[in-house]
Every structure is written in structure tokens, then in C-alpha cells.
Amino acid sequence: SAEQLLLRHNEDLLVDDTGAQDTTLIAYNTLLKAWKHNLVQSDRIFQEMRKRNLANTLSYTSYLSTLAHSIGKKGNGNKKGEQKALAQKAQSLLDDMTASSLAKPNTWTYNSVLHCWSNCNVARAEQLLKEMEKSPDCPPTTSSYTTVMNGWARAGGDRDNDLE
């Protein structure tokens, strides 16, 4: 598999003057994309990237997309408490990115976190959307608005009837 290939040559891909860091980053980001439907594998890869200081905006956004996909899956046994814990994890990663100089969030990053919150706490998703509206760097897109609207539709459209 691609992951076995990466792990077998991991030592050859250590950061050096020859651009190996770029090669390693591309390989790890490719693995994140390959595991986007498997939260356990994606989490393992992402944590390794963070440990090696390789995670960039694409890495974070790919992983956040995996969290959003996991929360949004129908019939996967996710309880609301588990969904909320994953949404909080996504929010924490977004907060880490906002404070970082290495991996700045973009609109796609925010949209992944919006998707997480819209499946378990739509009021929080709407709060994040308002933050985006104030941001010159990450303005909301049509997808941002429809994600929150779909969350309210799932909650019955009633502001007092959240999904928690």
C-alpha cells in the first residue's frame, strides 16, 4: 500500500537540504487524502505529521474534512456526545491554526469546521459563520451558508431546537 511504501522509506525522507521535506509533506498529505473515510488511520497519519512538524494548511484542512465526514455519516453509530467531541476537536485544531504561523486556516478549513458543528450544535456553527463574515482572510462562501442552513433544517429550523 502507499502507506507501507511511505513507512518503508520514511528514514530516507527526513528533512535535509535536498527538498526532502517537500517530498515527505506531499507523501503524508496524499495519505491523509487516501484515508479520508477512515478516521482512525487519518488520525494516526495526522498526529505523526504534527509530531514531525510537517502539517501545513492542506494537512489540517484534509484532516478536518475527515472529522466532518465522520460526524456526518449516517448510521455509523456516532452518538451526539461523540459528534460533539469530534466537533470540539475540530474547533481546537482551527484555534491552533489561527495562532500558528505555519498553517493558516482558509475558507475551506472553516467550512470543514462549520460542517462539524452543523451536525451537532448549529448555534455554534452559526457563531463560527459570523466570525467568518468579519474575517478579511476567510470570508464565507455559498457552501458556508448552505452548511449552516442545512444544519438548521436538520434541527427543525427552530433556534431553540438544537441538535445537542
Side-chain angles (χ1 to χ4, degrees), residues 75-111:
N76 67 347
N78 261 347
K79 305 278 187 266
K80 288 299 174 198
E82 293 169 2
Q83 290 178 330
K84 188 173 182 182
L86 290 174
Q88 289 169 332
K89 182 177 187 173
Q91 183 66 52
S92 177
L93 289 170
L94 177 62
D95 294 344
D96 288 350
M97 288 181 75
T98 303
S100 169
S101 61
L102 299 175
K104 288 294 183 191
N106 58 31
T107 300
W108 290 43
T109 311
Y110 273 89
N111 283 347

Side-chain angles (χ1 to χ4, degrees), residues 11-31:
E11 294 305 314
D12 296 335
L13 296 173
L14 292 175
V15 178
D16 63 19
D17 298 358
T18 64
Q21 182 175 13
D22 292 339
T23 304
T24 305
L25 181 60
I26 291 167
Y28 272 106
N29 280 336
T30 301
L31 280 177

Side-chain angles (χ1 to χ4, degrees), residues 3 6-7 14 29 32 34 40 47 54 66 68 121 124 139 150:
E3 184 175 1
L6 174 66
L7 295 176
L14 292 175
N29 280 336
L32 275 178
V40 173
Q47 296 311 322
L54 290 171
T66 298
N121 185 332
R124 181 62 186 103
N150 286 330

Side-chain angles (χ1 to χ4, degrees), residues 59-71:
S59 312
Y60 275 86
T61 302
S62 295
Y63 181 68
L64 288 167
S65 178
T66 298
L67 290 175
H69 176 78
S70 179
I71 291 172

